[in-house]
Amino acid sequence: MDIRGRRKSSNIEDRRGMRPVRTGVGLSIGGVLFLVVLSLLGINPLPFLGVATKTPEVQMQESAQPYQESPQEAKLREMTAVVLADTEETWNALLPQYGVAYQEPTLVLFSGAVQSACGTAESAMGPFYCPLDQKVYIDMSFYDDLSQRFGAPGDFAQAYVIAHEVGHHVQNLVGTAEKVQAAQQRMPKAQANELSVRMELQADCYAGVWAHHAARSRQLLEAGDVEEGLGAASAIGDDRIQRETQGRVVPDAFTHGSSEQRVRWFRRGLETGNPADCDTFAAKQL
Ligand SMILES: [Zn+2]
């Protein structure tokens, strides 16, 4: 990709260098004493409950120094901001055709671990989207994993990962995510897994839709980029990941689809640029 002179998204929240810290649950002893003293003094303690209680939340603790990024990390951050901006252009233009206004998601950069509305996550779990706070979370060290562990190097492989997570945001906005979750609750596990696969393949297809428009409308792609994207789709298929991590393939535990399926759906979005062609739920053959 040639990102020089491109718009960078301002929807980036930099939480690198912060750590989630569990702050405990319920009233502290000091808090209880404080409330007792207030009521003894004839003061209604209720308005002070919030002061004395500790919420069962995990809070982010800022480190003493601001995060010092390497020149390499600065480049990755810029690339991430340009790709996010380009997904905004794409979906701002496409979604109104489906009667939905696009709400731009926030992308959170973190290091090590992060607290989202969906819970605390470690970097090892990989990038993810949390529908509850509508944020995409990514520890950019995943880009190293992508190139070294999964053999999918290149900036467009990284862009594909961002566009896939943004694809989940689109599913959330159009209501697909909610429908799938409701259906999954009434299903045996194997069937629920298959629906998850269809969700994931649709997000891959949406990543392809983005790539189509980034290439056609804004000439963001360079020679070799499509191959990098396809390489990433293939590299992070469940069968490849399972073989890497467990040494065997268990199709029932697939939640993202096989390498071949991921490539096929990314390619479909890429070729047509039309989200309507991403109906993985209606497809007989994935
Ligand atoms: Zn996904």
Side-chain angles (χ1 to χ4, degrees), residues 100-176:
V100 181
Y102 188 59
Q103 295 160 290
E104 297 173 358
T106 297
L107 186 148
V108 178
L109 295 176
F110 72 97
S111 55
V114 73
Q115 172 66 18
S116 77
C118 301
T120 310
E122 304 273 327
S123 305
M125 291 161 63
F128 67 99
Y129 171 72
C130 171
L132 298 177
D133 54 23
Q134 307 209 345
K135 292 179 180 181
V136 170
Y137 291 83
I138 186 160
D139 181 334
M140 293 191 299
S141 68
F142 180 75
Y143 298 150
D144 297 332
D145 278 3
L146 199 58
S147 99
Q148 284 151 30
R149 191 158 157 236
F150 296 109
D155 57 357
F156 197 74
Q158 296 155 1
Y160 159 83
V161 170
I162 299 164
H164 171 95
E165 298 309 332
V166 170
H168 285 311
H169 177 61
V170 171
Q171 290 173 320
N172 191 26
L173 292 181
V174 300
T176 314

Side-chain angles (χ1 to χ4, degrees), residues 14 55 134:
D14 194 347
T55 50
Q134 307 209 345

Side-chain angles (χ1 to χ4, degrees), residues 1-281:
M1 285 183 300
D2 183 5
I3 66 163
R4 281 170 305 172
R6 306 255 176 192
R7 182 175 80 84
K8 296 186 192 85
S9 174
S10 53
N11 296 316
I12 295 216
E13 199 180 312
D14 194 347
R15 292 201 217 152
R16 290 174 296 172
M18 297 183 191
R19 303 281 312 164
V21 179
R22 200 165 284 282
T23 53
V25 190
L27 282 173
S28 64
I29 295 196
V32 173
L33 284 177
F34 175 65
L35 294 180
V36 169
V37 168
L38 285 184
S39 42
L40 285 175
L41 291 171
I43 299 167
N44 179 8
L46 280 180
F48 298 94
L49 209 58
V51 182
T53 52
K54 286 184 175 175
T55 50
E57 268 174 20
V58 178
Q59 286 173 351
M60 295 305 294
Q61 192 175 63
E62 287 198 47
S63 64
Q65 267 113 38
Y67 185 78
Q68 291 292 322
E69 63 181 5
S70 66
Q72 168 71 5
E73 286 173 320
K75 258 172 118 180
L76 287 175
R77 177 177 47 75
E78 279 178 24
M79 181 279 296
T80 301
V82 167
V83 170
L84 184 63
D86 208 281
T87 63
E88 290 162 359
E89 308 285 339
T90 300
W91 292 109
N92 272 321
L94 288 179
L95 268 199
Q97 300 169 20
Y98 297 88
V100 181
Y102 188 59
Q103 295 160 290
E104 297 173 358
T106 297
L107 186 148
V108 178
L109 295 176
F110 72 97
S111 55
V114 73
Q115 172 66 18
S116 77
C118 301
T120 310
E122 304 273 327
S123 305
M125 291 161 63
F128 67 99
Y129 171 72
C130 171
L132 298 177
D133 54 23
Q134 307 209 345
K135 292 179 180 181
V136 170
Y137 291 83
I138 186 160
D139 181 334
M140 293 191 299
S141 68
F142 180 75
Y143 298 150
D144 297 332
D145 278 3
L146 199 58
S147 99
Q148 284 151 30
R149 191 158 157 236
F150 296 109
D155 57 357
F156 197 74
Q158 296 155 1
Y160 159 83
V161 170
I162 299 164
H164 171 95
E165 298 309 332
V166 170
H168 285 311
H169 177 61
V170 171
Q171 290 173 320
N172 191 26
L173 292 181
V174 300
T176 314
E178 203 182 341
K179 270 189 232 156
V180 165
Q181 251 195 344
Q184 280 177 323
Q185 273 155 15
R186 297 178 255 111
M187 282 178 180
K189 193 157 188 282
Q191 228 178 320
N193 264 350
E194 212 222 281
L195 267 195
S196 297
V197 170
R198 288 177 192 266
M199 277 286 276
E200 292 302 329
L201 294 175
Q202 187 175 61
D204 286 334
C205 186
Y206 286 164
V209 167
W210 162 71
H212 174 98
H213 293 281
R216 287 280 175 92
S217 311
R218 291 173 294 280
Q219 291 76 43
L220 183 67
L221 273 62
E222 292 176 313
D225 278 344
V226 166
E227 289 71 22
E228 280 177 10
L230 292 169
S234 156
I236 51 187
D238 280 349
D239 48 353
R240 274 279 288 277
I241 294 177
Q242 283 183 5
R243 212 170 284 136
E244 297 271 337
T245 56
Q246 309 175 356
R248 65 200 163 88
V249 178
V250 190
D252 238 13
F254 282 3
T255 51
H256 278 78
S258 70
S259 294
E260 194 202 337
Q261 290 169 329
R262 295 198 76 166
V263 167
R264 191 179 311 134
W265 284 96
F266 174 67
R267 204 191 277 278
R268 177 171 305 188
L270 180 69
E271 277 164 8
T272 75
N274 182 2
D277 289 325
C278 295
D279 192 353
T280 53
F281 297 95

